[in-house]
Amino acid sequence: MSAFTAVLARDLRLAARRRIEALLPIAFFSVALSLFPLGVGPEAQTLRQIAPGIVWVCALLAAMLSVTQLYAADYADGSLEQMLLCGDSAVVIAAAKALAHWLLTGLPLILIAPLFGLLFDMQGDAIAALTFGLLLGTPILSLLGGVGAALTLGLRSGGVLLILLILPLCIPALIFGAGAVSAVVSGISPQGHYSLLGALLIVTALLAPWATAAALRISTE
Amino acid sequence: MSSSPIRLFTFAAPSRFYGLAGALTPWFWVATIALAAAGLYIGFFVAPTDATQGEAYRIIFIHVPAAWVSMVLYMAMAFWAGIGWAFKARLASMVARAIAPTGAMFTFVALWSGAFWGKPTWGTWWVWDARLTSYLILLFLYLGYIALVEAIDDTRRADNAGALVALVGAINVPIIYFSVKWWNTLHQGATISATTAPKMASTMLTAMLLMTLACWAYAFAVVLTRTRAIILERERHADWVATLAREGSK
């Protein structure tokens, strides 16, 4: 467990020393979301209807754009290879890295999502459903993104490639996350959507660190 | 070496598989042409006009076979890529990479022919229906695999990374399929149910099965040819390829 906490603490400390860089995904999320009322038009009715979907899509894109840097710096300066050689399981490193990514991008997104809910004229219970869905769903994005980041290490067009590889796999999280809000708005219980999101989170948490570890071994051998 | 009996893994050696694939390819082409000719003849001249859809339903003879073949090809690609990764079987990885473009092509044909079928029968080129959307995602999975293996210069890393992506995609295909299904309940009816007399339905079914076999024969022919090209490219430093090139240039 010590390797887990060490990698996690290291990533968080690195982020704390480059604060502006750590805030970039949130900035992207906010700017991207602000474009929609300009493009679609400011009618409250339309915005309320599309808000859950576009918040989720922007969260997906923010996660995919930021996750490319998860292993890149460590790979470039060789510390990733040292970490893999030091005897601790690569699975533990992958899990710690995914958690660090979620704490640095997923959690802030969840914190400011309610604010955008208000800007898009959503009701209180819909905002709560959106936030809870993001809480269950964003860890899935960080875990899957880790697989993509490990696979595309050091490739010329890694960033775009990662998006092409991983976004199709994120579709279930998007569907159930946005679906929970629609269920609340139309007066149905969102319980089923939460359960499916939770199930997806458990399955991803069980499988993705292993896939990431395998991908890291493939990419660094 | 040539006198040893054929065993289970005899053709796992790229040099022997090269010969076998070369011998089989012409037969698959013959089968493709014969089956497609028979299937198209029955489909266009023997099978009757559909009671509700008119002549437009005849798109089924390319649409459904392409859809079937593209789905099974994805599983075959993931299977061979996984075998190549787990057992370091070079030929299996080569076959997986040879399957991908053909699978993507059939997925595209299924989507494209579906759009042409949708316009006269549903009145629209595209609906965000469960089956259509999950098919589009299958195309993205194929494209992701192809893009990844093409982006990595090191052959071994490309094969293994591609295998991981193909296997993760294979796990996700059912999840994506069901999530999309629950997301939007608008769903097209069963495609094979013909409302006409059983005798007529059977000619339609015959044509469709013949076209499916034709698509399979085509897939085998193209995949084997592409595998041969990949074998030559990767084994270009081997003696047998040099011998082959010398004999060919004479």
Side-chain angles (χ1 to χ4, degrees), chain B:
Chain B
M1 196 168 84
S2 56
S3 62
S4 64
I6 291 178
R7 295 200 184 87
L8 186 56
F9 294 112
T10 298
F11 292 107
S15 55
R16 292 202 200 92
F17 186 83
Y18 182 85
L20 176 73
L24 288 178
T25 305
W27 294 105
F28 280 117
W29 279 119
V30 169
T32 306
I33 293 166
L35 289 164
L40 288 175
Y41 175 75
I42 296 176
F44 277 98
F45 298 106
V46 180
T49 306
D50 187 82
T52 48
Q53 299 188 12
E55 301 293 347
Y57 90 94
R58 291 184 203 274
I59 293 173
I60 200 175
F61 299 127
I62 186 66
H63 179 73
V64 173
W68 281 349
V69 170
S70 63
M71 267 190 293
V72 181
L73 279 182
Y74 187 87
M75 300 318 279
M77 181 184 85
F79 174 78
W80 285 118
I83 294 285
W85 184 24
F87 301 110
K88 296 189 169 49
R90 286 174 302 149
L91 183 65
S93 301
M94 295 185 211
V95 170
R97 283 180 78 161
I99 290 174
T102 306
M105 189 276 285
F106 273 118
T107 314
F108 185 76
V109 166
L111 286 169
W112 194 256
S113 58
F116 275 121
W117 196 2
K119 190 62 183 167
T121 50
W122 299 341
T124 173
W125 299 105
W126 182 266
V127 288
W128 289 97
D129 158 275
R131 197 169 293 175
L132 275 72
T133 312
S134 43
Y135 242 84
L136 189 63
I137 297 164
L138 183 68
L139 181 64
F140 291 155
L141 291 176
Y142 270 122
L143 294 181
Y145 174 86
I146 295 171
L148 182 70
V149 295
E150 290 299 323
I152 304 176
D153 295 328
D154 178 53
T155 317
R156 217 166 95 100
R157 185 183 160 190
D159 284 342
N160 292 348
L164 183 65
V165 165
L167 289 172
V168 171
I171 297 171
N172 260 274
V173 164
I175 299 180
I176 292 168
Y177 179 75
F178 284 112
S179 68
V180 169
K181 201 168 172 166
W182 292 326
W183 161 61
N184 195 341
T185 47
L186 175 77
H187 201 277
Q188 70 199 70
T191 36
I192 316 179
S193 71
T195 49
T196 40
K199 199 179 100 190
M200 296 171 179
S202 80
T203 57
M204 288 180 191
L205 193 65
T206 310
M208 210 168 70
L209 291 177
L210 283 172
M211 284 304 289
T212 306
L213 291 174
C215 284
W216 271 116
Y218 170 83
F220 270 102
V222 172
V223 167
L224 289 178
T225 307
R226 200 177 287 121
T227 310
R228 272 162 62 92
I230 295 173
I231 289 174
L232 282 186
E233 203 181 328
R234 292 199 187 174
E235 306 266 302
R236 59 186 178 274
H237 303 302
D239 285 343
W240 70 270
V241 179
T243 315
L244 204 70
R246 226 176 294 122
E247 282 168 6
S249 63
K250 268 176 197 167

Side-chain angles (χ1 to χ4, degrees), chain A residues 35-88:
Chain A
L35 291 179
F36 281 91
L38 304 177
V40 180
E43 291 85 12
Q45 177 60 36
T46 320
L47 290 181
R48 202 180 307 135
Q49 215 162 27
I50 64 171
I54 61 177
V55 167
W56 263 95
V57 169
C58 289
L60 270 175
L61 293 177
M64 290 306 121
L65 287 174
S66 54
V67 87
T68 47
Q69 294 306 311
L70 193 55
Y71 296 100
D74 290 342
Y75 179 68
D77 67 12
S79 49
L80 181 65
E81 259 174 81
Q82 301 302 319
M83 279 189 235
L84 294 174
L85 285 173
C86 75
D88 287 302

